[in-house]
Amino acid sequence: MSHPTNSLENAASSYLRSARHQPVKWQEWGEEAFARAAQEDKPVLLDIGAVWCHWCHVMDRESYEDADLAEVINQHFVAIKVDRDERPDVDSRYQAAVQSMSGQGGWPLTAILTPDGRPYFGGTYFPRDERYGRPGFERVLRTMAEVWKSRRDEVLESAGSVIAAVEHGETFAGRSGQLTLGLVDKLVAHAVTQFDSRNGGFGSQPKFPHPSAIDLLLDVVTRTGNEGARTAATVTLEKMALGGVYDQLAGGFHRYSVDERWVVPHFEKMLYDNAGLLKNYTHAFQTMVNPDSARVARDIIRWMDEWLTDRELGGFYASQDADVSLDDDGDYFTWTRAEAAEVLTSEEMGVAGPWYDIGDVGDMHHNSLKNVLHLKYTLEGIASRAKLPVEQVQALLRSAKQKLYAARLKRTAPFIDKTIYTGWNALGVSAYVTAARVLNLEEPMDFALKTLDRLLKVGWESATGLAHVIAYSDGVAGKQRIAGVLDDYAFLAEACLDAWEATGKSHYYQRAIELTESMISRFYDPVGGGFFDSELGDRPIGALSARRKPLQDSPTPAGNPAAASVLVRLADLSGRVDFREKAEDTLENFAGIVEHFGLYAGTYGLALERLMLDPQQVFIVGEGAEARRLEATATAGFAVNKSVIRLSREQIKTGDLPPALAETLPNLPEIIRGNTPTFAIVCRGKTCLPPTASPEKLLEELGVTV
């Protein structure tokens, strides 16, 4: 039976539009919905989810598409549906609220609110009928509606306490700590303690990637040679790349693994995860010169290029779903032995079967025949089992991989959410720029700059600020502009600085300055220090009145240390003392409590290193193959405080440099009048070494051993 569309017919978000035919009278988040709740004296049913979220769709089908249950909802509640990707400010606050009430969070998030938006009950997934040890959703709804009518005073008191708990939980009083590199040592020690030496990763199942924490470990390896950090980072990256959490055919990583061995993932793929991991594998290659790290980095780019990019206009799409329908669980990505044998020759199957661990009994609970492709053996081990030369095994595996992927492409692929979010795209730009420079890849650099130009052109206006959404999926236009949050400003300013270092084009530096000044004016707390995650606005609804200062990476880099990192970078380039003071003040704000965040404070550790360590700047002057060779040499050895900056002879002649660099390099115009067309200069702090055109000499000056 078809139902008339609800008001989500007019929504732009892919997640909201997927519910537009449900019999629930959904409304989007906004003053109109809450005004209706107040007028009708009804509580609000709040559903927060995402288009890539499997259990969100399960709850949609079981409950929100059920006409009888929809009647209960429509009679007793005003129903509001929120896309957590579109409104991270709403999601973060109600996640904190539900966690304070139930001890758990996640998606779908289900909360019952007063008409002014304060929660008095919450949880995550509720089954339609009682099972899994959870109460049936209809009983929950009827109980909460009755509580609102008959125990109003208790509800209001409880709702006030929840909001107070959210506000208190986000009010950090950590200024008792000192800003020293000892804090970094504590964060690293925590990560090493949590490290699973057998399987890689941190803790037990489920296992998530922790890109900022891994980058912190890699940086410490370069700086101190810490063997515990080296092992934790390298083994984790190696085991992830061997596991089913890595798409062995198309490249790219799924969101997380449900088991400790990285074999069975939750199959959705997210832009932000792959951007962070692309940086990890690139930085690992810089530090350890491991060819496998470079291979995985290129493979992540291959998948993103093919599936997650707007090739025409520039831009990275948000995500790919796990499933095609609720009746499968990663079936698009998994294989029965019969399915694999059908597309491979017997000789190919003889090596691909053990290589990808394709057995008669697979890995998936819903279908024991389905295998998640992952690697258990070495190439030499497979060759020995098959009694074939390694070269022949390699050739057979290449052809098998091509055939399996070609066959998979004939399947109906999970949905791609083509929404272009500013902050996530900025992470993608930074990752592409980093990988392109280290791996000498021209096309990813071009695409990164094309994307950055689109973000700045469409998303940024000095008067109104930055937009959170650049474009919605399939060209659907949003009714209203979604204001950028702290992450959007910090990540985009960082991307502009990365682009400036890679190209020397001064307009990227100028945009970074503008974005950072706007970030300070809109989010900085001049009284308590640090940055709020969103602008307060004139009339905040419900939990949006709670001010948050994000410190924890979850899973994208946390806004406060990301902002501090940008401020330090710009202070080093511009000489602006106010930028450095605000960076220091921001990090001091959390110094007394940050060590308790451990793995989830990787971005803080990286920002603190950038603040405490003298900047190391390598200037590459010139064009052509020799300049590219010097640039590739300069990137050897990942260090968060190292910048490799490309400058043209023309911009040096015209003085087109940030102010602090013009002071640091006062003799550059004189140097370029010499006979050496291409050279590198290494500076630490405000001290610079003489120019060199020798890659070997440059490595020596950088202290990199090969």
Side-chain angles (χ1 to χ4, degrees):
M1 177 180 176
S2 62
H3 298 279
T5 56
N6 52 45
S7 68
L8 298 186
E9 173 70 21
N10 301 315
S13 149
S14 297
Y15 176 61
L16 300 187
R17 289 180 64 79
S18 71
R20 65 189 185 273
H21 293 292
Q22 292 174 2
V24 175
K25 295 178 180 177
W26 290 113
Q27 297 193 61
E28 292 189 68
W29 176 277
E31 291 186 3
E32 182 179 338
F34 285 95
R36 178 182 165 191
Q39 181 181 357
E40 298 179 6
D41 193 30
K42 289 181 179 179
V44 169
L45 168 63
L46 177 66
D47 171 84
I48 302 179
V51 70
W52 44 263
C53 167
H54 173 78
W55 285 101
C56 299
H57 296 309
V58 171
M59 195 162 174
D60 277 342
R61 183 175 69 174
E62 289 180 348
S63 295
Y64 298 134
E65 293 175 9
D66 182 291
D68 294 335
L69 189 59
E71 186 176 346
V72 173
I73 294 171
N74 296 335
Q75 179 181 351
H76 296 289
F77 298 89
V78 171
I80 298 176
K81 206 170 187 71
V82 171
D83 181 341
R84 63 87 45 214
D85 296 342
E86 182 185 41
R87 293 302 303 262
D89 53 340
V90 175
D91 176 63
S92 60
R93 284 157 176 77
Y94 285 100
Q95 288 288 344
V98 169
Q99 286 173 5
S100 73
M101 288 186 285
S102 68
Q104 64 177 355
W107 304 283
L109 181 135
T110 309
I112 310 298
L113 320 179
T114 63
D116 61 357
R118 294 177 294 162
Y120 65 92
F121 177 82
T124 53
Y125 164 78
F126 289 96
R128 172 66 176 86
D129 302 305
E130 296 189 26
R131 65 179 188 277
Y132 309 129
R134 296 172 182 261
F137 194 36
E138 182 172 353
R139 180 159 69 91
V140 168
L141 291 170
R142 291 188 181 277
T143 300
M144 289 302 108
E146 179 57 33
V147 165
W148 173 250
K149 293 175 183 176
S150 62
R151 296 158 58 187
R152 182 76 55 95
D153 290 344
E154 292 179 37
V155 166
L156 295 176
E157 182 180 354
S158 174
S161 299
V162 171
I163 291 295
V166 172
E167 291 175 336
H168 178 75
E170 298 295 341
T171 304
F172 297 107
R175 287 187 178 274
S176 59
Q178 296 294 314
L179 289 181
T180 70
L181 289 176
L183 280 175
V184 174
D185 295 337
K186 290 179 180 179
L187 296 177
V188 169
H190 179 273
V192 172
T193 300
Q194 293 287 105
F195 169 59
D196 177 353
S197 59
R198 177 187 294 271
N199 302 298
F202 305 95
S204 57
Q205 79 278 4
K207 278 186 176 171
F208 290 81
H210 292 276
S212 292
I214 292 173
D215 265 359
L216 182 61
L217 294 174
L218 291 171
D219 181 82
V220 167
V221 170
T222 303
R223 183 165 56 83
T224 71
N226 184 315
E227 286 302 317
R230 182 190 301 272
T231 300
T234 54
V235 172
T236 295
L237 293 174
E238 175 189 341
K239 295 292 187 180
M240 286 179 63
L242 294 175
V245 75
Y246 178 63
D247 187 339
Q248 300 293 336
L249 299 182
F253 284 86
H254 302 290
R255 193 163 70 94
Y256 69 95
S257 174
V258 301
D259 66 289
E260 63 186 8
R261 297 184 298 121
W262 302 105
V263 172
V264 180
H266 255 225
F267 288 93
E268 62 271 12
K269 290 181 175 180
M270 310 302 298
L271 167 57
Y272 55 74
D273 285 330
N274 283 280
L277 288 164
L278 175 55
K279 274 192 169 182
N280 285 161
Y281 283 94
T282 301
H283 292 156
F285 176 71
Q286 286 178 266
T287 302
M288 265 73 78
V289 200
N290 181 346
D292 277 343
S293 295
R295 174 187 59 79
V296 175
R298 291 189 183 95
D299 241 14
I300 294 172
I301 292 173
R302 174 171 67 92
W303 174 74
M304 291 175 72
D305 279 352
E306 185 174 359
W307 291 92
L308 225 61
T309 54
D310 183 335
R311 305 311 297 176
E312 180 184 356
L313 300 176
F316 295 96
Y317 302 142
S319 61
Q320 181 178 31
D321 281 11
D323 313 306
V324 174
S325 73
L326 295 179
D327 298 320
D328 72 72
D329 185 359
D331 285 355
Y332 173 80
F333 298 100
T334 56
W335 296 81
T336 66
R337 188 170 180 85
E339 287 171 339
E342 187 177 346
V343 298
L344 302 180
T345 67
S346 59
E347 196 174 17
E348 288 167 339
M349 190 65 190
V351 295
W355 177 252
Y356 290 120
D357 197 25
I358 306 173
D360 292 321
V361 178
D363 309 293
M364 301 301 296
H365 292 301
H366 79 294
N367 182 348
S368 62
L369 299 179
K370 280 282 191 175
N371 292 269
V372 182
L373 304 189
H374 61 283
L375 310 185
K376 288 180 64 175
Y377 304 105
T378 64
L379 196 62
E380 290 76 16
I382 297 294
S384 176
R385 288 166 60 102
K387 296 182 172 57
L388 294 172
V390 169
E391 295 76 12
Q392 187 176 349
V393 169
Q394 286 178 309
L396 288 169
L397 287 175
R398 277 195 300 271
S399 63
K401 180 177 180 178
Q402 291 170 355
K403 288 181 179 180
L404 288 170
Y405 189 40
R408 198 177 88 177
L409 288 174
K410 295 177 182 177
R411 301 173 178 176
T412 301
F415 176 75
I416 300 287
D417 180 8
K418 295 183 179 180
T419 307
I420 295 177
Y421 294 106
T422 298
W424 295 3
N425 266 256
L427 294 175
V429 168
S430 289
Y432 263 46
V433 168
T434 299
R437 300 188 78 186
V438 172
L439 303 175
N440 194 22
L441 304 173
E442 186 174 340
E443 287 189 8
M445 177 65 76
D446 291 342
F447 186 80
L449 298 177
K450 184 178 188 177
T451 296
L452 180 56
D453 291 342
R454 181 183 182 186
L455 298 177
L456 292 169
K457 179 180 179 181
V458 177
W460 167 246
E461 290 183 12
S462 57
T464 56
L466 193 58
H468 177 63
V469 182
I470 299 299
Y472 284 96
S473 199
D474 298 325
V476 177
K479 290 187 298 182
Q480 59 184 5
R481 178 180 179 276
I482 306 294
V485 295
L486 174 62
D487 289 4
D488 295 317
Y489 284 80
F491 298 166
L492 189 57
E494 187 96 6
C496 287
L497 288 175
D498 292 338
W500 175 77
E501 289 182 4
T503 66
K505 294 180 178 179
S506 60
H507 69 276
Y508 290 129
Y509 168 75
Q510 293 300 330
R511 293 299 87 75
I513 291 282
E514 292 172 13
L515 286 163
T516 301
E517 288 176 337
S518 184
M519 177 177 73
I520 291 169
S521 68
R522 295 171 186 275
F523 303 101
Y524 186 70
D525 179 3
V527 178
F531 290 84
F532 296 116
D533 67 328
S534 64
E535 298 181 66
L536 184 58
D538 296 330
R539 296 168 59 189
I541 302 169
L544 287 185
S545 63
R547 308 312 313 269
R548 296 183 64 250
K549 292 181 180 177
L551 167 64
Q552 176 175 311
D553 301 330
S554 59
T556 54
N560 266 280
S565 182
V566 167
L567 288 166
V568 174
R569 289 181 72 178
L570 279 173
D572 290 338
L573 294 172
S574 66
R576 286 185 55 169
V577 176
D578 61 321
F579 282 175
R580 188 170 187 87
E581 287 176 343
K582 285 182 173 59
E584 187 170 347
D585 190 56
T586 297
L587 296 176
E588 279 184 349
N589 207 48
F590 309 104
I593 46 90
V594 69
E595 65 183 89
H596 302 298
F597 286 76
L599 278 170
Y600 299 93
T603 304
Y604 182 96
L606 292 165
L608 182 57
E609 286 186 314
R610 198 183 284 279
L611 177 74
M612 302 295 293
L613 300 171
D614 283 337
Q616 183 182 64
Q617 296 164 326
V618 187
F619 301 94
I620 309 297
V621 180
E623 305 295 335
E626 286 302 310
R628 287 196 296 272
R629 187 179 176 205
L630 284 173
E631 181 178 5
T633 302
T635 63
F638 165 61
V640 71
N641 62 320
K642 180 172 74 173
S643 301
V644 179
I645 301 167
R646 285 296 300 267
L647 299 173
S648 70
R649 299 172 73 86
E650 184 60 32
Q651 70 188 115
I652 295 168
K653 288 179 183 178
T654 59
D656 187 16
L657 295 172
L661 291 195
E663 291 182 14
T664 302
L665 301 168
N667 298 320
L668 264 185
E670 193 68 31
I671 293 170
I672 65 169
R673 283 194 281 270
N675 296 324
T676 307
T678 302
F679 56 87
I681 297 177
V682 176
C683 299
R684 290 183 178 84
K686 294 188 179 298
T687 303
C688 300
L689 299 175
T692 180
S694 165
E696 293 74 21
K697 179 67 173 175
L698 179 56
L699 281 176
E700 182 184 324
E701 291 177 351
L702 292 171
V704 176
T705 57
V706 292

